[in-house]
Amino acid sequence: MIDDYLNTFDGIFFNVEKYEPVKLAIDQVGAVLSSIITRYGEIENEISCGTSRQDDFIDTVICLFVRKIMEQLDAINVLYSVGSFTQAQVILRALIENIVSMEFILKTDTKKRAAAYSLEHHYQEIELGDECFSENSKYRKLLLANGREEQFNNGYEEFKKKKAAFERIIKSREVFQQVDKDRKEKLKQKKRNNGKRKVHIQWYEVCSNISSFYGLMKETGYEQYYQSIYGGLSFETHALNSTMDMSVNENGISLKYIRNPVGGSSTFSLACAFSMGALNALYEYLNDGEEEKREFRAFFLDFQKRRDIATHNLDMIRDTQSSKGG
């Protein structure tokens, strides 16, 4: 059985199913997150079915954002359901980056911003290919030195096809051509300012004067959250918090449980705050009428009550036991 290790190492893993008050609090979190995911699902259906379409290209980009946000909220919900609060922080950071990016796109100059975002991964793939298949690349030298010239040549042919396909994509829309032109200009400017150092440009730099994610958060009204996201959440993302799993009390040093159910309210609260902000931006994009706005306000008031109850009950979970591993 996949969960046999929970019983084998019951002194290391916290099993939510054995602690009813903890399970109740987590179930309340699940109900709140489920209600948000449902709202995003309704928006995805509304756009993809054509009942509220604004622009085919922009709608497609926004729909993909909505699906990714749903996926990440679902992942947080799944992790919370088993008490894995710390690991949910990694997903939360990615969720916030997606939400901030989407809100930046929706704020103004939406078509160009959507185009810059959608082209970015193509640019990165092309730049990586140019680097790998250049005359002096380490990848090229390694393959040729090991007699794998055919593998190199096949890869190079595939890369040339992708590059040609990308050039056709650029030519397919006027907005793509504008983004491509502006991006090249920004890169030239950066190279002039940075001398021989390798330069990189973020997608949002193409369509604004913003040059950092902090600037992006400031532009979308989330400046006050920056430190908590790129401070606290970065510890887990960059593997800097392993030693934080020790706790010290009057009995000495002990190890915290894996799936430790303590301290989950901040991640949950941030997920709610950003998700609801993005929902509001999406409803504005859809130009919903007064009836829809009233319905959303009623939902939001009910959501706030249930969120506050769930947050309070998460805060009530105390570190009453530690792993026997210490």
Side-chain angles (χ1 to χ4, degrees), residues 42 75 78 146 202 231 313:
E42 290 170 354
V78 170
N146 287 279
Q202 300 287 350
N313 288 336

Side-chain angles (χ1 to χ4, degrees), residues 113-136:
R113 292 181 176 187
Y117 178 85
S118 64
L119 291 175
E120 180 57 26
H121 73 95
H122 293 294
Y123 282 119
Q124 291 187 18
E125 289 173 359
I126 298 301
E127 287 171 4
L128 179 61
D130 282 335
E131 186 175 318
C132 286
F133 294 108
S134 68
E135 192 69 30
N136 297 314

Side-chain angles (χ1 to χ4, degrees), residues 188-253:
K188 283 181 184 178
Q189 183 180 346
K190 269 199 166 186
K191 286 176 181 177
R192 284 195 298 268
N193 296 335
N194 288 275
K196 294 183 178 180
R197 286 187 298 169
K198 184 178 179 181
V199 298
H200 177 70
I201 188 169
Q202 300 287 350
W203 65 272
Y204 45 79
E205 294 181 69
V206 178
C207 41
S208 72
N209 293 320
I210 297 169
S211 58
S212 67
F213 196 75
Y214 171 76
L216 207 62
M217 293 191 73
K218 186 175 181 180
E219 178 71 11
T220 50
Y222 293 116
E223 179 183 6
Q224 70 272 26
Y225 292 104
Y226 181 82
Q227 189 56 47
S228 60
I229 294 163
Y230 283 87
L233 295 184
S234 293
F235 290 134
E236 182 65 25
T237 304
H238 298 300
L240 296 174
N241 64 344
S242 294
T243 55
M244 293 169 66
D245 283 340
M246 292 190 302
S247 59
V248 181
N249 54 35
E250 64 275 9
N251 298 316
I253 298 175

Side-chain angles (χ1 to χ4, degrees), residues 59-325:
D59 286 346
T60 299
V61 174
I62 297 306
C63 261
L64 293 173
F65 267 112
V66 169
R67 289 176 63 87
K68 180 58 67 174
I69 291 168
M70 290 174 69
E71 179 183 27
Q72 290 165 333
L73 284 170
D74 174 61
I76 291 173
N77 197 17
V78 170
L79 287 169
Y80 262 65
S81 71
V82 295
S84 192
F85 296 169
T86 302
Q87 295 307 311
Q89 293 176 9
V90 179
I91 309 297
L92 174 64
R93 178 165 160 165
L95 169 71
I96 290 172
E97 289 179 347
N98 273 304
I99 285 175
V100 170
S101 296
M102 185 184 72
E103 289 198 40
F104 174 73
I105 289 171
L106 290 173
K107 187 172 182 180
T108 187
D109 202 12
T110 299
K111 194 163 192 173
K112 186 177 179 182
R113 292 181 176 187
Y117 178 85
S118 64
L119 291 175
E120 180 57 26
H121 73 95
H122 293 294
Y123 282 119
Q124 291 187 18
E125 289 173 359
I126 298 301
E127 287 171 4
L128 179 61
D130 282 335
E131 186 175 318
C132 286
F133 294 108
S134 68
E135 192 69 30
N136 297 314
S137 79
K138 293 180 181 179
Y139 172 74
R140 178 192 183 106
K141 290 177 180 178
L142 179 64
L143 289 186
L144 297 183
N146 287 279
R148 296 160 70 179
E149 184 175 356
E150 183 178 358
Q151 180 181 344
F152 175 83
N153 290 336
N154 289 339
Y156 185 44
E157 289 303 315
E158 288 300 314
F159 170 65
K160 286 195 293 186
K161 290 178 184 177
K162 176 167 184 58
K163 199 169 184 178
F166 182 52
E167 289 172 359
R168 291 193 293 272
I169 291 173
I170 295 295
K171 294 176 182 177
S172 67
R173 292 178 183 270
E174 185 178 345
V175 67
F176 288 168
Q177 295 171 36
Q178 186 62 52
V179 166
D180 190 59
K181 178 177 177 292
D182 292 349
R183 190 177 190 275
K184 288 173 180 174
E185 286 297 321
K186 291 262 184 175
L187 277 171
K188 283 181 184 178
Q189 183 180 346
K190 269 199 166 186
K191 286 176 181 177
R192 284 195 298 268
N193 296 335
N194 288 275
K196 294 183 178 180
R197 286 187 298 169
K198 184 178 179 181
V199 298
H200 177 70
I201 188 169
Q202 300 287 350
W203 65 272
Y204 45 79
E205 294 181 69
V206 178
C207 41
S208 72
N209 293 320
I210 297 169
S211 58
S212 67
F213 196 75
Y214 171 76
L216 207 62
M217 293 191 73
K218 186 175 181 180
E219 178 71 11
T220 50
Y222 293 116
E223 179 183 6
Q224 70 272 26
Y225 292 104
Y226 181 82
Q227 189 56 47
S228 60
I229 294 163
Y230 283 87
L233 295 184
S234 293
F235 290 134
E236 182 65 25
T237 304
H238 298 300
L240 296 174
N241 64 344
S242 294
T243 55
M244 293 169 66
D245 283 340
M246 292 190 302
S247 59
V248 181
N249 54 35
E250 64 275 9
N251 298 316
I253 298 175
S254 60
L255 298 178
K256 296 178 182 179
Y257 276 111
I258 297 175
R259 298 189 181 183
N260 180 31
V262 177
S265 63
S266 59
T267 297
F268 170 65
S269 297
L270 282 169
C272 288
F274 278 87
S275 298
M276 293 304 290
L279 273 178
N280 188 57
L282 284 165
Y283 284 124
E284 288 182 7
Y285 170 71
L286 294 174
N287 291 322
D288 281 347
E290 284 303 317
E291 183 177 346
E292 289 86 355
K293 290 177 180 177
R294 282 194 298 271
E295 193 273 334
F296 179 67
R297 282 195 292 268
F299 163 77
F300 181 68
L301 290 173
D302 179 64
F303 156 81
Q304 283 183 309
K305 293 176 184 177
R306 293 184 296 115
R307 177 204 60 197
D308 291 346
I309 292 170
T311 301
H312 172 77
N313 288 336
L314 284 173
D315 283 335
M316 290 298 101
I317 300 173
R318 295 288 182 251
D319 193 10
T320 55
Q321 281 185 293
S322 293
S323 160
K324 296 175 184 176

